[in-house]
Protein backbone atom coordinates (compact mmCIF):
# COMPACT_ATOMS: atom_id res chain seq x y z
CA UNK A 1 0.00 0.00 0.00
CA UNK A 2 2.92 2.38 0.74
CA UNK A 3 4.23 1.88 -2.79
CA UNK A 4 0.86 2.82 -4.30
CA UNK A 5 0.49 5.88 -2.07
CA UNK A 6 3.94 7.09 -3.09
CA UNK A 7 3.27 6.33 -6.74
CA UNK A 8 0.03 8.28 -6.67
CA UNK A 9 1.65 11.20 -4.85
CA UNK A 10 4.45 11.21 -7.39
CA UNK A 11 2.30 10.79 -10.47
CA UNK A 12 -0.65 12.96 -9.56
CA UNK A 13 0.49 15.47 -6.96
CA UNK A 14 4.26 15.42 -7.27
CA UNK A 15 4.13 18.39 -9.57
CA UNK A 16 7.19 20.39 -8.54
CA UNK A 17 10.37 21.96 -9.76
CA UNK A 18 12.56 24.32 -7.68
CA UNK A 19 9.35 26.15 -6.88
CA UNK A 20 5.87 24.77 -7.38
CA UNK A 21 5.42 24.16 -11.12
CA UNK A 22 3.54 21.66 -13.19
CA UNK A 23 2.24 21.53 -16.72
CA UNK A 24 -1.22 20.32 -17.64
CA UNK A 25 -0.72 18.54 -20.98
CA UNK A 26 -4.41 17.70 -21.49
CA UNK A 27 -6.26 19.90 -23.94
CA UNK A 28 -9.53 19.26 -22.07
CA UNK A 29 -8.97 20.87 -18.66
CA UNK A 30 -12.63 20.25 -17.79
CA UNK A 31 -12.02 16.53 -17.19
CA UNK A 32 -9.32 16.72 -14.51
CA UNK A 33 -7.49 19.83 -13.43
CA UNK A 34 -5.05 20.20 -10.54
CA UNK A 35 -5.41 23.74 -9.22
CA UNK A 36 -2.70 23.59 -6.58
CA UNK A 37 -0.19 21.28 -4.92
CA UNK A 38 2.12 21.93 -2.01
CA UNK A 39 4.90 19.68 -0.69
CA UNK A 40 6.92 20.48 2.41
CA UNK A 41 9.85 20.02 2.81
CA UNK A 42 11.16 20.56 -0.66
CA UNK A 43 12.99 18.65 -1.90
CA UNK A 44 11.27 15.65 -0.27
CA UNK A 45 13.58 13.23 1.52
CA UNK A 46 13.53 9.48 1.02
CA UNK A 47 12.74 8.07 3.53
CA UNK A 48 10.97 10.86 5.35
CA UNK A 49 7.83 12.71 6.24
CA UNK A 50 6.21 14.90 3.61
CA UNK A 51 3.42 17.40 4.27
CA UNK A 52 1.13 17.37 1.24
CA UNK A 53 -1.84 19.52 0.32
CA UNK A 54 -3.66 20.11 -2.92
CA UNK A 55 -6.83 20.92 -4.78
CA UNK A 56 -8.24 19.36 -7.94
CA UNK A 57 -11.41 19.44 -9.97
CA UNK A 58 -12.76 16.29 -11.59
CA UNK A 59 -15.34 17.03 -14.27
CA UNK A 60 -16.61 13.48 -14.74
CA UNK A 61 -16.82 10.24 -12.76
CA UNK A 62 -13.80 7.94 -13.06
CA UNK A 63 -14.54 4.24 -13.28
CA UNK A 64 -14.12 1.29 -15.59
CA UNK A 65 -11.20 0.60 -17.88
CA UNK A 66 -8.87 3.44 -16.83
CA UNK A 67 -5.14 3.28 -17.44
CA UNK A 68 -2.42 5.28 -15.66
CA UNK A 69 0.61 5.68 -17.92
CA UNK A 70 3.72 6.84 -16.05
CA UNK A 71 7.03 7.75 -17.67
CA UNK A 72 9.94 8.62 -15.35
CA UNK A 73 13.37 9.96 -16.35
CA UNK A 74 16.29 10.63 -13.97
CA UNK A 75 18.90 13.27 -14.74
CA UNK A 76 22.52 12.07 -14.77
CA UNK A 77 24.44 14.14 -17.36
CA UNK A 78 21.42 13.45 -19.59
CA UNK A 79 17.86 12.18 -18.98
CA UNK A 80 17.84 8.40 -18.41
CA UNK A 81 14.54 6.47 -18.59
CA UNK A 82 13.69 4.65 -15.37
CA UNK A 83 12.41 1.22 -16.43
CA UNK A 84 9.37 -0.50 -14.97
CA UNK A 85 10.72 -2.87 -12.29
CA UNK A 86 8.42 -4.80 -9.98
CA UNK A 87 5.54 -2.44 -10.74
CA UNK A 88 7.46 0.76 -10.05
CA UNK A 89 9.04 3.17 -12.54
CA UNK A 90 7.94 3.89 -16.10
CA UNK A 91 4.94 1.56 -16.01
CA UNK A 92 1.37 1.36 -17.22
CA UNK A 93 -1.17 0.52 -14.55
CA UNK A 94 -4.82 -0.53 -14.56
CA UNK A 95 -5.79 2.46 -12.39
CA UNK A 96 -9.02 1.24 -10.80
CA UNK A 97 -7.70 -2.30 -10.24
CA UNK A 98 -4.52 -0.92 -8.67
CA UNK A 99 -6.55 1.21 -6.25
CA UNK A 100 -8.96 -1.62 -5.46
CA UNK A 101 -6.23 -4.20 -4.82
CA UNK A 102 -4.24 -1.86 -2.60
CA UNK A 103 -7.01 -0.17 -0.63
CA UNK A 104 -9.30 -3.14 0.01
CA UNK A 105 -8.21 -5.28 2.95
CA UNK A 106 -10.20 -8.48 3.51
CA UNK A 107 -13.07 -7.03 1.48
CA UNK A 108 -13.13 -3.80 3.49
CA UNK A 109 -12.21 -0.38 2.12
CA UNK A 110 -9.03 0.83 3.84
CA UNK A 111 -8.09 4.28 2.52
CA UNK A 112 -4.90 5.93 3.79
CA UNK A 113 -5.79 7.75 7.03
CA UNK A 114 -4.82 11.10 5.48
CA UNK A 115 -7.61 10.62 2.94
CA UNK A 116 -10.13 8.78 5.12
CA UNK A 117 -10.33 11.51 7.76
CA UNK A 118 -11.03 14.04 4.99
CA UNK A 119 -13.61 11.79 3.26
CA UNK A 120 -11.57 11.63 0.05
CA UNK A 121 -12.08 8.62 -2.26
CA UNK A 122 -9.30 6.11 -2.77
CA UNK A 123 -11.02 3.60 -5.06
CA UNK A 124 -13.12 3.74 -8.20
CA UNK A 125 -15.61 5.00 -8.95
CA UNK A 126 -14.37 8.49 -8.12
CA UNK A 127 -17.28 10.89 -8.38
CA UNK A 128 -17.02 14.14 -10.32
CA UNK A 129 -16.43 17.09 -8.01
CA UNK A 130 -13.93 19.33 -6.31
CA UNK A 131 -11.42 17.64 -4.01
CA UNK A 132 -9.23 19.34 -1.44
CA UNK A 133 -6.49 17.53 0.45
CA UNK A 134 -5.84 19.67 3.50
CA UNK A 135 -2.22 19.67 4.71
CA UNK A 136 -1.31 16.30 6.16
CA UNK A 137 1.85 14.26 6.65
CA UNK A 138 2.62 11.25 4.47
CA UNK A 139 5.54 8.91 5.12
CA UNK A 140 7.82 8.17 2.20
CA UNK A 141 9.19 4.66 2.83
CA UNK A 142 12.83 3.68 2.31
CA UNK A 143 13.86 2.52 -1.13
CA UNK A 144 15.24 -1.05 -1.29
CA UNK A 145 19.04 -0.95 -1.22
CA UNK A 146 19.35 -2.26 -4.79
CA UNK A 147 17.38 0.80 -5.97
CA UNK A 148 19.02 3.32 -3.60
CA UNK A 149 20.58 5.17 -6.54
CA UNK A 150 17.00 6.27 -7.38
CA UNK A 151 16.37 7.84 -3.96
CA UNK A 152 17.83 11.24 -4.82
CA UNK A 153 18.18 13.42 -7.86
CA UNK A 154 16.21 15.34 -10.45
CA UNK A 155 13.31 13.62 -12.19
CA UNK A 156 10.86 14.26 -14.99
CA UNK A 157 7.57 12.47 -14.46
CA UNK A 158 4.90 12.37 -17.14
CA UNK A 159 1.59 10.88 -16.02
CA UNK A 160 -1.46 10.33 -18.17
CA UNK A 161 -4.85 8.96 -17.09
CA UNK A 162 -6.62 7.42 -20.12
CA UNK A 163 -10.04 5.85 -20.66
CA UNK A 164 -9.00 2.67 -22.50
CA UNK A 165 -12.46 2.12 -23.99
CA UNK A 166 -12.71 5.52 -25.69
CA UNK A 167 -9.04 6.56 -25.84
CA UNK A 168 -9.99 9.82 -24.14
CA UNK A 169 -7.30 11.45 -22.00
CA UNK A 170 -8.81 12.21 -18.59
CA UNK A 171 -5.75 13.90 -17.14
CA UNK A 172 -2.17 14.54 -18.21
CA UNK A 173 0.65 16.23 -16.30
CA UNK A 174 4.32 16.81 -17.03
CA UNK A 175 6.23 17.36 -13.83
CA UNK A 176 9.74 17.89 -12.56
CA UNK A 177 10.72 16.98 -9.03
CA UNK A 178 13.90 16.69 -7.00
CA UNK A 179 14.33 14.13 -4.23
CA UNK A 180 17.03 13.99 -1.59
CA UNK A 181 17.81 11.08 0.68
CA UNK A 182 18.91 10.77 4.26
CA UNK A 183 22.20 9.02 4.56
CA UNK A 184 24.75 8.15 7.17
CA UNK A 185 28.20 6.69 7.26
CA UNK A 186 30.45 5.74 4.37
CA UNK A 187 27.56 5.55 1.87
CA UNK A 188 27.11 9.34 2.00
CA UNK A 189 30.42 9.83 0.23
CA UNK A 190 28.97 8.34 -2.94
CA UNK A 191 25.55 9.99 -2.60
Amino acid sequence: MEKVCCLLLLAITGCLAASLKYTDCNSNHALLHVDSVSLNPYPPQIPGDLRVSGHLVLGRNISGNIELQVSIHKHALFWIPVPCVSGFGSCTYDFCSMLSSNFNVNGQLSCPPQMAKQNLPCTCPVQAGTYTLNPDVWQIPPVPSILSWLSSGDYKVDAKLVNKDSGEIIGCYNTQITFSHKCSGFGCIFG
Side-chain angles (χ1 to χ4, degrees), residues 126-142:
V126 178
Q127 301 300 315
T130 300
Y131 293 96
T132 300
L133 177 64
N134 293 315
D136 212 332
V137 175
W138 296 72
Q139 285 190 319
I140 301 176

Side-chain angles (χ1 to χ4, degrees), residues 35-171:
D35 289 326
S36 66
V37 176
S38 175
L39 302 182
N40 188 12
Y42 189 81
Q45 289 192 339
I46 300 176
D49 290 342
L50 181 63
R51 181 171 290 280
V52 178
S53 64
H55 183 267
L56 69 84
V57 177
L58 182 60
R60 184 174 333 154
N61 296 348
I62 294 180
S63 65
N65 194 9
I66 307 298
E67 185 173 83
L68 175 62
Q69 302 168 355
V70 179
S71 173
I72 303 173
H73 290 77
K74 179 179 172 65
H75 191 262
L77 297 179
F78 55 92
W79 291 101
I80 301 170
V82 176
C84 182
V85 177
S86 298
F88 192 79
S90 297
C91 304
T92 297
Y93 305 90
D94 180 327
F95 183 70
C96 291
S97 292
M98 177 181 67
L99 295 179
S100 179
S101 65
N102 283 280
F103 297 130
N104 276 309
V105 179
N106 298 323
Q108 297 287 351
L109 182 61
S110 180
C111 290
Q114 300 89 334
M115 295 174 73
K117 69 184 176 186
Q118 296 183 47
N119 294 317
L120 296 173
C122 66
T123 60
C124 294
V126 178
Q127 301 300 315
T130 300
Y131 293 96
T132 300
L133 177 64
N134 293 315
D136 212 332
V137 175
W138 296 72
Q139 285 190 319
I140 301 176
V143 173
S145 59
I146 196 164
L147 299 174
S148 63
W149 66 278
L150 290 172
S151 66
S152 67
D154 297 321
Y155 289 86
K156 288 182 180 178
V157 180
D158 300 323
K160 191 182 293 186
L161 207 55
V162 178
N163 181 320
K164 287 280 292 177
D165 295 328
S166 67
E168 180 178 40
I169 297 173
I170 298 167

